[in-house]
Amino acid sequence: MARFDSLQAWLAWQEQLHPRSIDLGLARVAGVYRQLNPTQAKPLTVTVGGTNGKGSCVAMLEAIYRAQGYKVGAYTSPHILRYNERIRIDGQAVADADICRVFSRIDAARGETSLSYFEFGTLAALCLFAEAGLDVQLLEVGLGGRLDAVNIVDPDVALVTTIALDHVDWLGNTVEAIGREKAGIFRQSVPAVIGDAAAPASLRQVAERIGAKVYQLEHDFAYRKQGETWEWQGGGRAFRDLPAPAFKGEHQYRNAAAVLMAVSALQERLPVDDAAIRAGLRQASLQGRFQLIAGKPRVLLDVGHNPQAVGTLIDYLRDYFPAATIHAVFAMMRDKDIATVVQMMRERVARWYLAPLDNPRAAEPALIESHFRQLDMANVDSGFADFSAAFQAARAAAGPDELVLVFGSFFLVSEYLAKFS
């Protein structure tokens, strides 16, 4: 008999089941996976890790393979509005009933083994993908790589986007240390795609030491923009006159270039033609990344929550809103580099509105405000009852041709989409 009959009840229980919300290590989750899948059978697998850009790469891979007619599963995190967004089959979020059914199966298989919220979700995705008869599954690393739950599955291609300081309490306090953790998804004789020309040396060193087939941007593959189009070459293949990626920002060309390398590395086992490449680049979609909402004023949503991601946001604002007056609705998690993010954005934001979030990991507005005082910044409003009040204050203050920017956390963007979209 199932422990619960609703997805909400299952998730609430999972949040309390394991003593640590983040508990890196594969022994527990791998043991349960062996009970669920004794043969370790799996579809072709692309595992995507890195600090920023993972979601964009998964979305482009998903769109390209679906455009070719393949049956595709995609597992990502976190979600924006509904938990179901984390597990997609052929572009559709799976139903509550299906998730509850596999949660019950996992619960029975685990015995006395304690699993975290993320580990339950990873196993659920793998179970549902195994049932679906997929051609390919796309697995996004949640945190790190070496000890992340998705690493219980051996990839057929591993892609790492960028490396930056983030989650230093778990991954290390240098980019070289973090690079070694991210490189944990690489495997011997398996293509290892590095989508950053300036990646820490540790990333390629680990790949070469274990005998992975390394493909690094500007070393083993490259792209070049040509006006409104771009070209790519690598691994004995080339594409000309490609359409711009559906996602805005210069960094998305780097992500798209890494995606094309991953697709090319799997070409013999999962062929993709030029038409599917072009269609996928145009059709990929993702909420919360430079998502512009029309209106007066316009609203821009961005989930960037570390200095590297905010650097790409600054580049985007420079290219698309060079003279706009910006009102920023802002919140971050306590474990993020709040001071650096505020310092980076201080010249672009006319006024800040600190939004409280109902999340135990969120930094309280008073804590965020202390960083503004340390930086001698007075252009900040606080004391709002909730996100809605902060956003409404920003929208009321902004002129019709100005911009309201909602950024700093997935949870903040989720609040906007739940209440104002």
Side-chain angles (χ1 to χ4, degrees), residues 229-266:
T229 65
W230 61 294
E231 61 181 30
W232 179 95
Q233 61 181 7
R237 200 174 184 190
F239 299 102
R240 313 286 183 214
D241 299 320
L242 290 167
F247 310 130
K248 301 299 182 184
E250 179 65 29
H251 64 294
Q252 295 295 357
Y253 286 91
R254 297 192 296 271
N255 289 335
V259 162
L260 295 191
M261 188 66 251
V263 169
S264 295
L266 271 182

Side-chain angles (χ1 to χ4, degrees), residues 100-373:
C100 290
R101 174 174 53 80
V102 294
F103 277 167
S104 185
R105 186 178 160 211
I106 295 162
D107 191 25
R110 73 182 180 88
E112 297 301 315
T113 302
S114 179
L115 294 173
S116 71
Y117 179 94
F118 183 77
E119 289 165 344
F120 253 100
T122 301
L123 291 170
L126 295 174
C127 288
L128 289 165
F129 292 165
E131 295 174 357
L134 302 179
D135 295 300
V136 60
Q137 62 182 8
L138 312 172
L139 306 180
E140 180 187 332
V141 172
L143 194 158
R146 181 175 65 92
L147 298 176
D148 187 83
V150 303
N151 206 30
I152 61 177
V153 176
D154 289 331
D156 298 283
V157 171
L159 188 163
V160 173
T161 56
T162 60
I163 306 293
L165 288 175
D166 199 10
H167 299 297
V168 294
D169 291 343
W170 293 281
L171 304 180
N173 58 9
T174 68
V175 291
E176 295 295 338
I178 293 172
R180 282 188 286 273
E181 290 295 319
K182 305 284 187 183
I185 66 172
F186 296 154
R187 297 292 194 276
Q188 183 178 9
S189 302
V190 170
V193 178
I194 301 173
D196 184 357
S202 60
L203 194 63
R204 188 170 184 123
Q205 287 167 357
V206 171
E208 291 176 342
R209 187 182 72 241
I210 67 171
K213 299 176 182 177
V214 184
Y215 301 91
Q216 184 174 3
L217 180 63
E218 294 185 13
H219 294 259
D220 310 285
F221 65 98
Y223 76 93
R224 184 175 65 177
K225 292 175 65 178
Q226 294 183 313
E228 297 299 312
T229 65
W230 61 294
E231 61 181 30
W232 179 95
Q233 61 181 7
R237 200 174 184 190
F239 299 102
R240 313 286 183 214
D241 299 320
L242 290 167
F247 310 130
K248 301 299 182 184
E250 179 65 29
H251 64 294
Q252 295 295 357
Y253 286 91
R254 297 192 296 271
N255 289 335
V259 162
L260 295 191
M261 188 66 251
V263 169
S264 295
L266 271 182
Q267 181 68 10
E268 290 187 4
R269 302 172 70 184
L270 206 65
V272 174
D273 60 30
D274 287 19
I277 294 284
R278 297 173 193 282
L281 290 172
R282 291 191 191 97
Q283 295 167 6
S285 64
L286 196 64
Q287 285 190 313
R289 273 77 164 186
F290 300 163
Q291 184 176 350
L292 188 62
I293 313 296
K296 292 184 176 296
R298 288 171 292 181
V299 177
L300 179 67
L301 311 178
D302 189 57
V303 298
H305 53 270
N306 55 53
Q308 186 186 66
V310 171
T312 64
L313 171 61
I314 291 169
D315 291 342
Y316 172 83
L317 292 170
R318 180 197 63 221
D319 292 342
Y320 292 92
F321 299 94
T325 298
I326 296 174
H327 300 256
V329 183
F330 181 65
M332 289 186 75
M333 299 296 104
R334 279 196 308 272
D335 61 341
K336 302 301 179 183
D337 190 352
I338 299 168
T340 299
V341 166
V342 172
Q343 176 66 41
M344 291 173 68
M345 290 291 289
R346 69 181 301 168
E347 299 301 322
R348 286 308 326 263
V349 175
R351 190 133 200 108
W352 300 75
Y353 304 79
L354 305 187
L357 291 176
D358 184 19
N359 185 292
R361 290 179 51 220
E364 298 80 2
L367 174 60
I368 297 178
E369 196 165 12
S370 71
H371 291 288
F372 283 84
R373 289 195 297 271

